[in-house]
Each structure stands twice: as C-alpha cells, then as structure tokens.
Amino acid sequence: MATAAHHIHTAYLVDVKGDWLRHLKDDVLEPLAAKALAHPVLRDIESGRLPKEQFTRMMANLCWVITGFPEYVSALAARCPKNDHMVKAALLENAYIERDHPFLLAQAVTALGGPGDAILDGPDWVSFDFDPYVHMLRMTIEGYVFHRPWIEGMAATAVGVESVVPAVFGRIGAAAIKHYGLAEDDAEWFHIHSGEVEMEHGNEGLRVLDKYVADDDLDTQAACIAAARLVSDGIGVGLFDAVGRW
C-alpha cells in the first residue's frame, strides 16, 4: 500500500510495521511535511521577506490555539482506557510538559511585539482578534479531542500535530532569531518543538495507533488517517495558506 518516501523530512518518526500505518507515514505525513517545507510563505519567512507584522500575527494566531493544548492532552489522558497504565502515564507526563508551552510561545509573541499576554489572560473571544482560519483549526482539534472516539483524538493530536511540527517549526524558530529579532532566551518554544521530546511524542502517537487499531478494522484505520491528515495539513500547510491570504 505504501510507497517509498523520498527526501524524508520526518525521518525522526519510528519505523512502523502495519501496511496502513506505513501508508499514513509515507503517503500522508511525509508529503504534507514536504509540502509545508516548500510553501512560499515558509520560504519568505526563512529569507526574512515576510513582513514582521505578518510573522508576528501568524505566531499570535498559533498561540491562541496552543493555549488549549494542556487541556487537550489532559483530556486524552482522562479518556485513555483505564487500565492502559503505560499510555495513560505517558499522556499525563505529556500534559505536564505542555503546561508551560502556552507561556513560552506567548513570551515569544510578546518579544516580537505581539499580544502574547492578552492571549494568555483572555477571555478567549474578546482579548485577541483571531483569524477565522485559526478559529476553524482550533474547533477541529477540540472536536477530535472532546467529541470523537479517543483513538481518533490521538490520531489528530499525537500524530497529526506532533509528527509535522518538528520538521516545520525548527526552521521557523531559526528564522525568527535571524530575521525577526527574537532573542535566544525568548525562543525556547521553538527549540522545544524542533527537539527530540516533540519528535518522540509523534512516535508515541504512532505506537498507540498500532496498538489499538486492528489490522482488519478498515473503518477505524480510515478515520484515523483522515484525522491525522486533516490536522497535520491544517498545522503544516493551512496556516501558511492563511498567511498568504492576508
């Protein structure tokens, strides 16, 4: 089912065994990462051509989504099958790590001249003028986390978000320092999200899918692929598309 991936941008992801997971990794996640890395907006960011005001606005919109991630991962930990202590513990540990991430990204947004504190302090719907696309992305993630079956929530977040983020946001962080005046001390969120911890979170998500989705459960496989595709495309490509429309 899967084809060999060339010019691997997600080589940090674990080598999966099932045909459907190889398809997800090689034919969905890797091409989306490649598409994101080739996006004209990302190229403009890496060269410093994107105006700082637009770069800051993009990161502020992302921050408005990121503020919910400690809750999202906590909810997935709570919905995890009760006696799967290993997966539940990993999710709880991830939620504990996530608790600081909204503050770190808000720190970067503020340092860039954006409304980081307003995004953190809320209230959500009046303290920040969010982009309609980012509103849709946030509602999509929340729908999967809180309302769809748990395994689809894992596919959307632990795979859809975590698999593509390290490939993309390391480059954005380097550009933020080089071209947009972000100090190293204010760039910790970018360093974390291009590092080994975030890479491993994506691998944990793939392992959970491998554990919980049977080889002959084609419907759940398709639902999980759809979830991972929708969210990874939304984070890795759709966000840049939105900036291109400004």
Side-chain angles (χ1 to χ4, degrees):
M1 179 184 293
T3 59
H6 301 284
H7 309 297
I8 301 297
H9 301 292
T10 54
Y12 47 83
L13 292 178
V14 68
D15 185 20
V16 295
K17 297 180 180 179
D19 286 346
W20 81 276
L21 283 174
R22 284 200 300 272
H23 166 62
L24 172 59
K25 180 185 174 189
D26 293 347
D27 301 330
V28 177
L29 299 177
E30 169 57 24
L32 281 172
K35 186 177 179 181
L37 292 173
H39 200 286
V41 170
L42 180 56
R43 297 255 176 109
D44 284 348
I45 291 170
E46 290 191 281
S47 65
R49 291 192 300 267
L50 187 74
K52 183 177 181 179
E53 179 184 352
Q54 290 191 18
F55 178 72
T56 303
R57 180 181 170 189
M58 181 187 80
M59 295 312 305
N61 272 279
L62 185 63
C63 186
W64 188 73
V65 177
I66 292 299
T67 55
F69 266 78
E71 299 169 58
Y72 303 158
V73 182
S74 297
L76 290 169
R79 297 181 67 198
C80 176
K82 181 177 180 180
N83 294 318
D84 191 342
H85 305 298
M86 184 174 295
V87 172
K88 189 177 285 285
L91 286 168
L92 288 169
E93 181 179 2
N94 190 357
Y96 183 74
I97 293 170
E98 288 284 348
R99 80 197 190 282
D100 286 333
H101 291 182
F103 298 95
L104 294 175
L105 184 51
Q107 176 182 331
V109 170
T110 298
L112 289 165
D117 291 338
I119 294 168
L120 279 182
D121 295 339
D124 275 355
W125 303 102
V126 298
S127 64
F128 174 64
D129 185 18
F130 51 85
D131 186 84
Y133 170 77
V134 170
H135 176 210
M136 181 175 64
L137 177 62
R138 178 168 161 175
M139 294 301 100
T140 297
I141 294 172
E142 292 193 3
Y144 272 112
V145 167
F146 295 116
H147 302 295
R148 294 296 299 167
W150 173 76
I151 195 65
E152 292 180 33
M154 291 296 296
T157 55
V159 177
V161 175
E162 306 282 12
S163 63
V164 175
V165 161
V168 174
F169 284 94
R171 296 195 181 194
I172 293 178
I177 294 169
K178 182 177 181 180
H179 298 297
Y180 297 101
L182 189 67
E184 285 280 354
D185 289 346
D186 293 320
E188 186 176 355
W189 185 88
F190 294 99
H191 296 322
I192 290 172
H193 286 80
S194 61
E196 292 182 1
V197 171
E198 289 299 308
M199 293 177 186
E200 183 55 23
H201 287 167
N203 286 329
E204 290 172 359
L206 288 170
R207 293 188 189 104
V208 168
L209 295 188
D210 188 34
K211 179 176 182 178
Y212 276 95
V213 182
D215 290 340
D216 60 352
D217 188 352
L218 301 183
D219 190 60
T220 301
Q221 291 172 14
C224 288
I225 290 171
R229 177 188 286 116
L230 181 63
V231 176
S232 60
D233 182 72
I235 291 287
V237 178
L239 183 65
F240 296 143
D241 286 345
V243 175
R245 293 190 293 269
W246 292 346

